[in-house]
Amino acid sequence: MDSKIQSSPSSDGFFRSALAFSGYTGYAAIILFIIGGVWLGGMLPPLLNASDSPAQAVAKVSDNLFAIQIGSIFLIASFALFGSFGAGMAMQVRRYETTPGWSYIQLIFTAAGTTLALLVAFAWALMVFRPETYHPSIVLMWADLAYFIALFSVPVFGGWCVMVALSIFFAEEGNEPFPRWAGYLNLWMVLLFAPGQMIMFFKEGPFAWHGLIAMYLPFIAFFIWIGVMSHLMIKIAKEESK
Amino acid sequence: MSGASRPRAQVPGEIGIWAFVAGDLLVFSVFFILIALGQREMTDVFSTSRESLNLYFGLCNTLLLLTGSWFVAIGVERCRDGQGSDNARWFKLATGCGLVFVINKIFEWEAKIGAGFTPLTNDFFMYFFIFTGIHLLHVVVGVVVLIFLCKVSQRPTLNSRDIRTLESGGIFWHLVDLLWIMLFALLYLL
Amino acid sequence: MSNYKTYFGFSTMTWAWLFLVGTTLLAWWFGFIDAENMHLATTGVIIAGAAKIWIIGYQFMELHRAPSILYYSFLSWTVGIAIVLLTILTIS
């Protein structure tokens, strides 16, 4: 019996249900994003370009108004689930603490990341609320805001991954909340998010907010990260029941 | 020597750090290819822009990282074999190399920006600033790792976990060095 | 005192460093040659870079004592990236 683990999950079905739930909401977040962001919403691949003129932005958005409006609802649903997903990772780390430490740090980053993501969805929604009334540059600005919140926030989302990685690497040998390879994966994610910080300097090319390296890479990496960590949480919840 | 047994192959550090190395190499390979494509498509722009780079900065930085790696390699070897005293000094020296690299890079960038070259000047400088910038982040992280290794190497006894930490940290530093080698070649030497 | 094997007074790590520094300086000098054949200069630079990367992996990162699959993966990448870069840079 390992005294370091706070609770013995095989007897704590309540905990296991929470952990599994967190994992499944991670999966749900991915699916909802694919519907709302990829299929309907024009977030990825980007409908707009950072080099679009305000008039072009209004035109593109107006041509796809209803789809993007519906898409933004799916987006907000997706992003809200970042909260339960992140809490799941924190609760798993919490089991390995006597006094909470790393789990607290992770929770704060979860809260920050979730809040930011929600703001992305709000900006996207406002972009298609009444584009005919807003000054065209404001319509474009909503897109700028959405992508800036999502991509320019590397210290938040990247930081989130760092906190997960550190909670694994500082854990006692053989007694880690997640496998060590997951720690390294989290660190790699930070590298993949990093180009997002460059969108400040470019309005075209791969480092603009519609660009291959500054947008596609971080977005895709982020959702792969959610997928992998969700999978791990579900796996741990299932294993503990044996 | 048919009777002698070969030392069993062992993963230096741990497999996780190598997975990270692979991931980093993948990303930087894309960067290298982008620079090469740019060189090919916009040879004149690239060659002209390259002439504005100060080769001495680049050379100095390369030698700093190579020497830092050398120190780290010696330090890790000594710690693992229990040889030498004050093995932390190797990591301290390497940290010094890293810090000088960062300072050097800042001066170099200042000079470039002062001369009117920014990431927006042309594609060459876009790649120059962004890729050396992302590399610089690696160096900064590497310096933090090296400081941590200084502390680890000072422990009176090193268990297998400590050795693994030292090796893994060292491997990350060598990765930083390795990435710079190719960046230096593509950006400064071509 | 150190019981590391030395070759002419230098340990393998030091030899590796000397090779790296030497290759760096050589490539630098290479750049000063009025290369009529740009492709030759380019090839020299990339191959020198790849050689340095290999030494760092083999010696400093201690791949010489790693399981073969790890070493050969690294070697494949080194050779592969050199080939890809050379192809892009020299084949018109």
Side-chain angles (χ1 to χ4, degrees):
Chain A
M1 168 73 183
D2 193 335
S3 58
K4 285 285 161 65
I5 302 184
Q6 271 299 88
S7 63
S8 172
S10 58
S11 63
D12 194 346
F14 195 38
F15 173 84
R16 276 189 289 112
S17 67
L19 189 62
F21 175 77
S22 301
Y24 284 118
T25 57
Y27 285 164
I30 297 173
I31 293 170
L32 289 166
F33 178 77
I34 291 175
I35 299 173
V38 179
W39 179 31
L40 296 170
M43 190 174 274
L44 177 147
L47 181 66
L48 300 172
N49 274 9
S51 52
D52 281 342
S53 69
Q56 281 173 309
V58 173
K60 284 183 183 178
V61 145
S62 304
D63 284 343
N64 299 279
L65 203 68
F66 190 60
I68 303 176
Q69 288 171 338
I70 300 291
S72 59
I73 298 176
F74 281 92
L75 280 179
I76 203 148
S78 167
F79 298 162
L81 294 177
F82 290 2
S84 50
F85 160 75
M89 291 191 289
M91 75 177 72
Q92 170 62 6
V93 170
R94 176 71 184 84
R95 285 174 55 206
Y96 290 76
E97 298 168 322
T98 320
T99 312
W102 291 106
S103 60
Y104 274 11
I105 299 177
Q106 271 189 43
L107 277 178
I108 292 296
F109 274 83
T110 301
T114 307
T115 308
L116 284 186
L118 290 170
L119 290 173
V120 172
F122 283 123
W124 209 249
L126 280 169
M127 185 178 73
V128 289
F129 180 46
R130 39 182 164 198
E132 71 286 350
T133 310
Y134 290 144
H135 190 278
S137 63
I138 292 189
V139 176
L140 182 59
M141 196 171 91
W142 288 123
D144 285 339
L145 183 65
Y147 283 113
F148 261 74
I149 295 177
L151 298 169
F152 197 68
S153 50
V154 175
V156 178
F157 290 105
W160 190 356
C161 291
V162 171
M163 303 314 151
V164 174
L166 290 178
S167 67
I168 297 172
F169 291 129
F170 278 105
E172 197 189 292
E173 179 84 55
N175 206 26
E176 294 113 352
F178 293 104
R180 283 185 76 86
W181 64 257
Y184 287 107
L185 181 82
N186 272 269
L187 290 181
W188 187 44
M189 287 298 145
V190 182
L191 176 68
L192 298 176
F193 298 168
Q197 209 68 61
M198 301 299 153
I199 61 175
M200 170 65 83
F201 303 104
F202 300 94
K203 297 185 183 67
E204 46 199 357
F207 300 107
W209 59 238
H210 61 273
L212 220 62
I213 299 189
M215 196 274 278
Y216 279 84
L217 197 57
F219 261 85
I220 293 173
F222 183 75
F223 285 98
I224 290 178
W225 173 68
I226 295 182
V228 173
M229 297 309 293
S230 297
H231 165 79
L232 281 176
M233 284 192 273
I234 293 167
K235 188 168 166 228
I236 291 170
K238 284 196 179 137
E239 266 170 10
E240 301 283 0
S241 65
K242 289 172 194 150
Chain B
M1 292 192 54
S2 54
S5 58
R6 293 182 58 209
R8 233 184 67 230
Q10 222 189 1
V11 173
E14 57 176 318
I15 196 66
I17 189 68
W18 288 102
F20 181 81
V21 166
D24 228 345
L25 289 180
L26 187 66
V27 173
F28 270 82
S29 296
V30 173
F31 294 169
F32 298 154
I33 290 172
L34 282 174
I35 300 175
L37 284 171
Q39 174 72 30
R40 178 202 164 92
E41 247 108 82
M42 297 170 272
T43 313
D44 292 332
V45 171
F46 271 53
S47 299
T48 317
S49 300
R50 185 172 290 118
E51 279 161 32
S52 315
L53 289 186
N54 188 331
L55 190 53
Y56 293 107
F57 269 122
L59 206 56
C60 189
N61 279 341
T62 306
L63 294 173
L64 279 168
L65 286 186
L66 290 177
T67 309
S69 274
W70 181 40
F71 290 145
V72 168
I74 294 176
V76 169
E77 202 180 47
R78 298 267 191 275
C79 284
R80 184 176 57 234
D81 300 340
Q83 296 279 333
S85 56
D86 186 25
N87 287 328
R89 102 187 99 123
W90 298 111
F91 298 103
K92 287 177 186 164
L93 285 168
T95 308
C97 289
L99 286 172
V100 176
F101 181 99
V102 174
I103 293 168
N104 213 17
K105 180 66 51 177
I106 293 173
F107 278 131
E108 186 188 10
W109 277 13
E110 252 181 353
K112 287 283 148 303
I113 293 171
F117 298 111
T118 70
L120 296 172
T121 302
N122 59 35
D123 274 8
F124 177 84
F125 280 105
M126 173 177 82
Y127 291 145
F128 172 77
F129 280 107
I130 292 189
F131 297 152
T132 60
I134 293 179
H135 177 264
L136 187 65
L137 280 175
H138 282 71
V139 176
V140 170
V141 170
V143 166
V144 173
V145 168
L146 285 177
I147 292 174
F148 183 64
L149 296 187
C150 287
K151 294 204 156 40
V152 172
S153 60
Q154 278 167 346
R155 292 176 188 165
T157 48
L158 299 172
N159 57 29
S160 61
R161 187 184 172 172
D162 294 327
I163 300 298
R164 185 190 63 188
T165 303
L166 288 169
E167 286 181 352
S168 297
I171 287 167
F172 179 74
W173 184 258
H174 298 311
L175 171 70
V176 171
D177 185 9
L178 190 159
L179 294 173
W180 176 256
I181 301 286
M182 201 46 95
L183 272 183
F184 175 62
L186 291 167
L187 290 171
Y188 292 80
L189 292 179
L190 277 188
Chain C
M1 207 43 235
S2 169
N3 64 351
Y4 293 103
K5 190 153 185 217
T6 62
Y7 303 87
F8 301 106
F10 294 125
S11 69
T12 46
M13 291 300 184
T14 309
W15 274 116
W17 178 77
L18 285 169
F19 174 85
L20 289 165
V21 170
T23 321
T24 305
L25 296 174
L26 193 74
W28 173 51
W29 170 78
F30 216 88
F32 282 119
I33 299 175
D34 224 2
E36 281 175 14
N37 192 347
M38 276 307 296
H39 283 178
L40 182 65
T42 303
T43 307
V45 164
I46 299 292
I47 291 193
K52 284 151 76 177
I53 288 174
W54 176 77
I55 276 274
I56 291 173
Y58 188 73
Q59 194 60 45
F60 287 166
M61 292 165 110
E62 299 188 286
L63 282 172
H64 60 82
R65 66 174 177 95
S68 312
I69 183 166
L70 188 61
Y71 170 58
Y72 285 114
S73 302
F74 177 82
L75 186 64
S76 307
W77 174 80
T78 309
V79 170
I81 195 69
I83 291 176
V84 168
L85 292 176
L86 280 174
T87 309
I88 295 174
L89 290 167
T90 57
I91 311 252
S92 42

